[in-house]
Amino acid sequence: TLAQIPASDQPLQVNGTAANDDVFILDLSGGDPTPTGGLIFNGGAGGNDVLRIVGTGQDATYSPDSFVTGNGVIEVNGKTITFVGLEPVDMFGFGTVTLNLPNGDDILTVTNDVDFTFGGMNPAIRVAGTSGGVAIETVAIWSGSTLVIDTTLNSDGDDSITINGADLTAANISNLTINTGSGSDAIAINGDVTLDGNLAMTTAAGAITQAGSAVSVGGTTTINTGSADIALTSATNDFVGPVTLTGANISIADANDMTLTSVTASGDVLVTTDDALTLIGTINAGDGTITLNVNTDGAGADDFTMLPGSVITTLNSTSDAVVITVNNLGGGTGDAIIQLITTAKDCGPTLG
């Protein structure tokens, strides 16, 4: 355990014992003990050597090695912690933790799990996988402000991120940001995602899909897939804060109320809410169709409301260019409060 050591402009190397299960602990809670020249943790051959880094709100960046599994660098306070021959990594108590992938063609999984070095007492988000075919050292992260997964900073490629579960609320992480950059990327949400803060996902041409899961976001949701589709269609989703979407064909559903800041699509737009839907900006579908299904349970006074200044627009010239349905068949009393809707050839919207 390193809690305080004399300052030095030379790196301090700490060596483990070969074939032992060594635990290296860097504790920043009483101040930063890292020398100016950094730290090197060498687990040695064999064993199951782990690294625990304890933060107090600092931002940290984890960069796995480009060539060797078990090697990598963590940067905190402008200093480097280099590890060699380690197995898993625990990081907790930080502000923003950023995972930077070193190569192209990253294949990652995000799962709900627990810590490695506290006997599994702390719910954590684990990220594992490969970067350019090289396995990265799995990291468990909990108790922080924001988790950022970025596959773009060093070498872009065709990236795939599978979220098998990400209960950030349980792991005490507020926000989640995923950026895959250019390439034929894909983000598959196959398990529940829950967070109290903000969700941001960005791909240049990578689809975001959902299967057998629910996405629950307490803050804002911002998703941009460039020329690819967004399909967040689970009836159990819950987007509490404003939602901003950019992509090709866009489909999104909410089990409760939804507020749309803007939707920009080059294809069709389908929005389904069990309760009310409020538009505070613009829905622009290019030449695609726009379908809004509001109050799908048919009960309550759940309206579709376009606030002053909001616009729905498409160049589509078919009879179903814009279809807005407020379902009151279950005894509801919802209304459609319309501002400006434009379609090609003045076809106008279909209201139901």
Side-chain angles (χ1 to χ4, degrees):
T1 301
L2 290 177
Q4 195 59 258
I5 57 176
S8 171
D9 59 1
Q10 298 297 315
L12 172 67
Q13 180 161 329
V14 181
N15 295 320
T17 302
N20 274 13
D21 296 338
D22 303 310
V23 179
F24 299 96
I25 302 173
L26 175 60
D27 187 351
L28 305 176
S29 61
D32 188 353
T34 310
T36 304
L39 288 167
I40 300 173
F41 293 112
N42 188 340
N48 186 50
D49 308 312
V50 296
L51 172 63
R52 177 200 302 170
I53 302 184
V54 183
T56 55
Q58 308 94 330
D59 293 341
T61 299
Y62 166 38
S63 301
D65 191 81
S66 299
F67 304 103
V68 180
T69 300
N71 295 359
V73 173
I74 295 173
E75 297 183 19
V76 183
N77 294 333
K79 302 174 184 177
T80 60
I81 299 97
T82 302
F83 59 87
V84 178
L86 295 189
E87 282 68 50
V89 178
D90 270 349
M91 299 179 67
F92 72 97
F94 290 94
T96 296
V97 174
T98 301
L99 172 59
N100 285 338
L101 281 301
N103 304 314
D105 302 332
D106 304 303
I107 301 175
L108 302 177
T109 59
V110 180
T111 58
N112 292 315
D113 217 302
V114 293
D115 63 79
F116 289 109
T117 63
F118 281 95
M121 296 175 57
N122 301 286
I125 302 299
R126 290 190 185 182
V127 184
T130 61
S131 180
V134 179
I136 70 168
E137 201 50 67
T138 301
V139 59
I141 302 168
W142 72 98
S143 293
S145 170
T146 302
L147 170 59
V148 177
I149 300 173
D150 196 326
T151 68
T152 70
L153 294 184
N154 296 308
S155 179
D156 215 345
D158 296 336
D159 306 316
S160 174
I161 298 177
T162 300
I163 302 176
N164 291 324
D167 190 346
L168 283 86
T169 301
N172 196 27
I173 300 172
S174 298
N175 311 299
L176 174 63
T177 298
I178 297 177
N179 182 12
T180 67
S182 61
S184 298
D185 303 327
I187 299 176
I189 302 174
N190 295 338
D192 293 348
V193 175
T194 305
L195 60 156
D196 294 330
N198 303 324
L199 173 66
M201 295 183 177
T202 303
T203 72
I208 295 178
T209 59
Q210 181 180 23
S213 61
V215 177
S216 301
V217 183
T220 63
T221 299
T222 305
I223 298 176
N224 187 338
T225 56
S227 59
D229 295 344
I230 299 171
L232 297 175
T233 55
S234 171
T236 56
N237 290 337
D238 186 15
F239 300 97
V240 177
V243 177
T244 301
L245 305 172
T246 304
N249 298 297
I250 297 175
S251 300
I252 190 168
D254 196 310
N256 299 294
D257 300 336
M258 181 190 291
T259 299
L260 291 176
T261 301
S262 71
V263 178
T264 303
S266 57
D268 297 333
V269 174
L270 172 61
V271 179
T272 304
T273 64
D274 201 42
D275 295 325
L277 175 63
T278 301
L279 176 62
I280 62 178
T282 299
I283 299 177
N284 186 337
D287 61 0
T289 62
I290 299 171
T291 304
L292 308 179
N293 297 320
V294 182
N295 194 29
T296 55
D297 65 0
D302 297 317
D303 301 331
F304 169 59
T305 303
M306 296 177 66
L307 295 183
S310 60
V311 177
I312 294 176
T313 182
T314 176
L315 297 176
N316 190 283
S317 60
T318 64
S319 60
D320 59 352
V322 178
V323 177
I324 302 171
T325 302
V326 180
N327 178 19
N328 290 322
L329 296 180
T333 58
D335 296 319
I337 303 170
I338 304 299
Q339 300 295 325
L340 177 62
I341 299 177
T342 66
T343 63
K345 299 182 181 179
D346 298 323
C347 291
T350 298
L351 303 178

